Amino acid sequence: MPPQHPQGWRKASYSGQDTNCVEVGRTHEGAAVRDTKDRAAGYFTTTGQQWDTFINAVKTNRFD
């Protein structure tokens, strides 16, 4: 499979102009995540199922 090149990077609207957050981009298989203040450090990717599981955990306060 060819490398996944994330597209459509975005960060949470709550972060405003702050660079102390992460950005999420779309990939063919799921999502990519990178550090906004150190974009050159790269990113990691997840499958769609992994991303859905993570988002569900955030929404149900599993990390509190």
Side-chain angles (χ1 to χ4, degrees):
M1 176 186 298
Q4 297 181 10
H5 298 285
Q7 298 179 353
W9 290 104
R10 62 185 192 155
K11 62 181 182 168
S13 59
Y14 289 108
S15 61
Q17 295 299 317
D18 191 9
T19 58
N20 197 18
C21 57
V22 296
E23 295 176 313
V24 177
R26 292 184 318 271
T27 67
H28 178 69
E29 296 293 323
V33 180
R34 68 182 178 188
D35 185 343
T36 301
K37 65 182 176 286
D38 192 7
R39 293 177 178 133
Y43 55 86
F44 68 89
T45 60
T46 69
T47 66
Q49 183 176 3
Q50 290 168 326
W51 186 249
D52 288 344
T53 300
F54 172 72
I55 294 300
N56 184 53
V58 170
K59 288 180 177 181
T60 57
N61 300 317
R62 289 188 47 207
F63 299 112
D64 288 344

